Amino acid sequence: MTAPPNATIGGAHVAPSTGKAGGASPSRARCALGDSLVHPLRGSPDSVVATPPSSGTAGSRPSFAGPRSRVEDCAECDGASPSTPRCGWVVGPRTSVRGVSCSGEASSQGATGVSPWGPTEGPANTLLGASAIVFVYGRHTALRDCDAHLPEGSMTALLGPNGAGKSTLLRIMAGIATPQSGTVRFAETTLHTMPHRTRVQRIAYVPQHCTIEFPLRVRDMVALGRVPFQTGLGWLTARDHTAVDNALATLECTAFANRLFHTLSGGEQQRVLIARALAQAPQLLLLDEPAIHLDPAAQLSVMTALQHIQRERHCTICCALHDLNLAYHFCDRAILLHAGTVRASGAVTEVMIPATLSAIYEAPIAWAQGLMARHGIRGRP
Amino acid sequence: MTRRRWYSLQATLLLGMGGVAFCALNIGPSPVTLFQILSATDVAILWQARLPRILLALAVGMALGGAGASYQALLRNPLADPYILGVSGGAALGSAIGIGAGLPFPFIALAAFVASLGTIGLILMIARGDAVHTTYRLLLTGVVCNAFAFACIMAVQAVIPIERSHEILVVLMGNLTLADLQITWWVFGIVIVGLIILMRHARALDAWTLGAETAASLGIDPARLQRTIFLAGSLVVGASVAASGLIGFVGLIVPHAARLIVGHRHHLLLPLSACGGGVFLVVADTVARSALHGGDYTTELPVGVVTALVGAPLFLWLLRKRTA
């Protein structure tokens, strides 16, 4: 399998990114690599078996199988009949999206919306695939007909306004919440029938809130990440100690390993929580708003640490983010959620475009354009 | 903490507890010790009066200490005590009804235990629901059940003859005088089983104190954990209330003190808290047996009075220390 032509789009954005912050360039350079979905150490392109998505097992549904486009409603034209859309989000088979506004200004791009990266998203590369997820809290539908796929070795940002269903989707992908309908496939098995212990040895989840009622030392906190591997009453083996030490070192928490967790600063606490997840030695790391309530320096340190984990530990990462700038600079893929449905997913350079963002966040397009210009984000016009 | 070190620590704890119990066996209002047995009366005092009480004090203290520590983790509230979840009220009501009906003691204890099992079932049924909110529902249901049970106890107390209503008062204050060896062994058995179940969930409780979501992300089923801890804790609390009435403050202070010593990791906290509870109650009971003895006036304090007299100031001091 070779990298499809569009994957070079990510690479094309390396050059204009000179105006960005220093740490950003490597991430963009890697983006091109990420698009081809071949991890530098996990496998060569030859080892990846390309399968067309229509025959895929990982989460393709009959109704959306095949390379046909899907038209979803958008904020601009509520109630438009799906068969004759005035406008809408034209979604390829769960990968690419092209925003098409009512005026049809982007209609020329609609033609390319038919999964130009289809082969790269084949089941062989997908670590976790959620398809047709429906989740209802009481009367409130948090997710409806939601498809999300996390390619192996990628770092995906989960974007969307408050209440779009980001946390719910993360909890479902972590196996903590069970959707009312739809399936989640994790590495060739169905996630929600997996034994708890097997699941948590592979998937780590860092919730947004961590209540601390009883003061705990940092090291003990991180050692809780070994719970899925422990057999006794709570004693740690040499292997557990090594894992804890490595996790502390990776997140640069060794200096305050013996301090009490609640005495740390917000950024340090977040790093400790990530270290705990890392002590689980997960294949997939899911984080709910890891950068929220942090100052810019702490945000950078947390995101850099995540990027380091992705590269050095070959961990697939998906994090809900509110900061589009962080998402663009540190993640190579993005899933855009709006009102419980995935409106777009794919490489950040492809999906984080003004038209998409303004529709997702229900903000004027000028805002999205301004935002991208300010942060040096160069999406499609 | 390696496995070997943990086991040796537990052995030390048990030995220490045994040592305290042995000392308590040699202390009492009459000057009888194991090394100085002079008559058949002395033998009776040692083996029929003191030993059952000491063993019951150990069992009840372990139950209250262990259940207190696990309830604090379950409710994520360091101020929770073993009587908070309503089971104690049910057991006390069972005792009160047994006393009101004029049953002999073993049957009063049985009535109390059956009532506590009934309360456990009732609370579980009412509090059932999604895992995130079960904790609050458990707590509120427990508090309301307790209030209701105590209203019923007062009603029973009002309608029965005055001598028997005094017995109800004794149950509410908590005492260990009614113990015989057979009941003590039963209580011991139930407490050991309950504590082993609690101990097996030590790791899960560690994770649980960080929130239901964190626990779930570490592979723990929150609903199942809550149910198990509540059931095991309530079982030992129900058995201990049935045998000895409501002995206050043991389940509140001992876990607190244990937390100050070993921190909040439950594989260390639970055993220390249980053994500490046993030691505390044996010492308190020895004081209750011997304190008001001298000259021609001899009486005995209910052990619940001693624990409350020591416990309440100690608890306030711990609370101040915590907030300071």
Side-chain angles (χ1 to χ4, degrees):
Chain A
M1 185 186 80
T2 55
N6 286 47
T8 57
I9 289 166
H13 283 277
V14 176
S17 70
T18 47
K20 289 187 217 163
S25 290
S27 101
R28 289 273 57 82
R30 186 178 41 80
C31 183
L33 190 63
D35 286 346
S36 73
L37 294 165
V38 181
H39 200 277
L41 295 168
R42 276 235 171 121
S44 66
D46 308 318
S47 68
V48 180
V49 183
T51 319
S54 52
S55 67
T57 51
S60 64
R61 287 169 298 131
S63 55
F64 291 115
R68 74 189 173 88
S69 296
R70 177 157 60 122
V71 177
E72 293 178 22
D73 55 358
C74 91
E76 284 178 60
C77 52
D78 261 346
S81 162
S83 55
T84 55
R86 286 190 296 118
C87 83
W89 298 91
V90 184
V91 185
R94 78 176 113 84
T95 53
S96 55
V97 70
R98 300 294 176 269
V100 184
S101 77
C102 287
S103 56
E105 63 179 30
S107 58
S108 61
Q109 291 169 2
T112 61
V114 186
S115 187
W117 315 329
T120 69
E121 296 258 324
N125 293 334
T126 305
L127 182 65
L128 183 140
S131 51
I133 299 296
V134 175
F135 193 87
V136 182
Y137 287 108
R139 286 184 190 169
H140 170 67
T141 307
L143 292 174
R144 49 193 161 88
D145 211 17
C146 200
D147 293 287
H149 294 263
L150 305 178
E152 195 164 0
S154 67
M155 181 156 163
T156 307
L158 202 53
L159 303 175
N162 289 325
K166 300 190 294 295
S167 298
T168 310
L169 183 57
L170 272 180
R171 285 160 49 83
I172 287 172
M173 292 198 289
I176 293 171
T178 311
Q180 272 83 5
S181 81
T183 53
V184 184
R185 305 275 302 172
F186 178 80
E188 308 303 319
T189 50
T190 307
L191 184 68
H192 290 95
T193 56
M194 236 182 192
H196 284 316
R197 207 173 156 85
T198 321
R199 167 171 60 81
V200 297
Q201 286 175 356
R202 288 162 176 69
I203 304 178
Y205 168 64
V206 180
Q208 189 177 345
H209 303 287
C210 182
T211 51
I212 271 271
E213 290 300 333
F214 302 103
L216 214 55
R217 292 196 186 285
V218 167
R219 177 175 287 279
D220 295 333
M221 183 89 171
V222 175
L224 279 178
R226 298 304 293 173
V227 164
F229 300 88
Q230 283 172 322
T231 49
L233 292 171
W235 41 66
L236 298 168
T237 63
R239 218 175 125 213
D240 292 331
H241 280 299
T242 316
V244 170
D245 288 339
N246 282 344
L248 283 169
T250 306
L251 274 298
E252 292 167 4
C253 299
T254 315
F256 46 85
N258 287 319
R259 274 177 62 191
L260 291 172
F261 177 77
H262 67 272
T263 62
L264 302 178
S265 73
E268 288 168 337
Q269 287 190 351
Q270 193 63 48
R271 293 219 306 273
V272 170
L273 292 179
I274 296 172
R276 189 192 67 211
L278 195 61
Q280 275 174 263
Q283 279 176 279
L284 174 62
L285 177 56
L286 303 166
L287 305 99
D288 200 352
E289 311 276 7
I292 205 163
H293 304 316
L294 300 182
D295 67 55
Q299 286 184 345
L300 270 182
S301 104
V302 164
M303 293 307 288
T304 312
L306 286 179
Q307 201 172 49
H308 179 79
I309 292 167
Q310 182 207 7
R311 290 179 188 174
E312 304 298 321
R313 301 279 190 118
H314 316 307
C315 192
T316 308
I317 296 179
C318 177
C319 48
L321 285 175
H322 270 312
D323 192 319
L324 301 177
N325 196 19
L326 290 178
Y328 192 80
H329 284 295
F330 286 97
C331 299
D332 39 36
R333 297 180 57 79
I335 295 173
L336 273 64
L337 274 173
H338 180 261
T341 46
V342 172
R343 289 305 186 80
S345 71
V348 284
T349 44
E350 287 293 305
V351 294
M352 289 181 72
I353 54 177
T356 317
L357 291 177
S358 78
I360 293 285
Y361 290 99
E362 291 172 13
I365 195 149
W367 162 82
Q369 282 165 341
L371 179 108
M372 300 186 113
R374 263 201 312 284
H375 293 301
I377 299 175
R378 288 158 206 278
R380 293 191 177 181
Chain B
M1 175 72 46
T2 60
R3 176 190 291 245
R4 231 178 113 180
R5 206 159 145 233
W6 187 85
Y7 275 118
S8 53
L9 257 175
Q10 303 315 306
T12 318
L13 267 181
L14 289 176
L15 271 180
M17 201 167 68
V20 171
F22 181 80
C23 294
L25 197 59
N26 294 313
I27 300 172
S30 53
V32 180
T33 70
L34 272 178
F35 313 103
Q36 213 179 2
I37 301 171
L38 298 174
S39 63
T41 326
D42 290 0
V43 174
I45 286 176
L46 277 176
W47 303 120
Q48 280 161 39
R50 286 189 195 165
L51 184 69
R53 267 184 88 152
I54 289 168
L55 286 180
L56 186 64
L58 276 183
V60 170
M62 286 176 82
L64 295 179
S70 15
Y71 278 1
Q72 288 174 0
L74 175 68
L75 301 174
R76 288 198 209 94
N77 187 340
L79 303 183
D81 91 338
Y83 296 150
I84 208 165
L85 288 187
V87 179
S88 54
L93 179 59
S95 289
I97 290 171
I99 291 167
L103 299 174
F105 177 70
F107 292 98
I108 293 176
L110 190 67
F113 190 61
V114 170
S116 72
L117 291 183
T119 322
I120 293 172
L122 188 74
I123 293 174
L124 268 185
M125 219 164 64
I126 296 171
R128 196 172 47 190
D130 68 308
V132 179
H133 300 109
T134 302
T135 309
Y136 303 107
R137 267 207 299 271
L138 263 183
L139 187 60
L140 289 176
T141 313
V143 169
V144 170
C145 277
N146 258 344
F148 184 75
F150 282 109
C152 291
I153 291 171
M154 291 303 134
V156 170
Q157 202 216 4
V159 298
I160 63 174
I162 190 84
E163 318 83 68
R164 286 206 216 135
S165 79
H166 173 74
E167 284 180 44
I168 292 183
L169 191 65
V170 169
V171 166
L172 293 184
M173 283 195 295
N175 79 339
L176 298 159
T177 51
L178 294 169
D180 68 26
L181 214 44
Q182 206 174 358
I183 286 180
T184 301
W185 289 129
W186 271 105
V187 175
F188 232 108
I190 293 172
V191 168
I192 296 292
V193 169
L195 286 180
I196 287 175
I197 296 174
L198 290 178
M199 274 303 300
R200 287 183 60 85
H201 290 83
R203 281 179 303 127
L205 282 175
D206 283 345
W208 172 256
T209 56
L210 300 181
E213 284 216 318
T214 307
S217 77
L218 292 171
I220 288 142
D221 181 345
R224 215 177 116 204
L225 179 75
Q226 290 182 79
R227 219 166 36 233
T228 314
I229 298 300
F230 173 71
L231 265 175
S234 299
L235 203 65
V236 299
V237 170
S240 68
V241 174
S244 66
L246 298 170
I247 299 175
F249 284 100
V250 178
L252 193 55
I253 330 214
V254 172
H256 247 295
R259 282 177 194 281
L260 287 182
I261 297 169
V262 293
H264 307 277
R265 287 163 300 158
H266 289 85
H267 68 293
L268 298 176
L269 175 66
L270 288 179
L272 183 66
S273 186
C275 292
V279 167
F280 181 61
L281 201 55
V282 167
V283 171
D285 186 50
T286 308
V287 171
R289 278 191 287 136
S290 334
L292 294 186
H293 173 75
D296 45 345
Y297 179 72
T298 295
T299 187
E300 201 173 274
L301 281 171
V303 68
V305 172
V306 178
T307 57
L309 281 178
V310 179
L314 201 61
F315 181 72
L316 288 179
W317 177 72
L318 283 174
L319 196 66
R320 285 295 306 170
K321 202 174 147 148
R322 209 185 134 80
T323 48

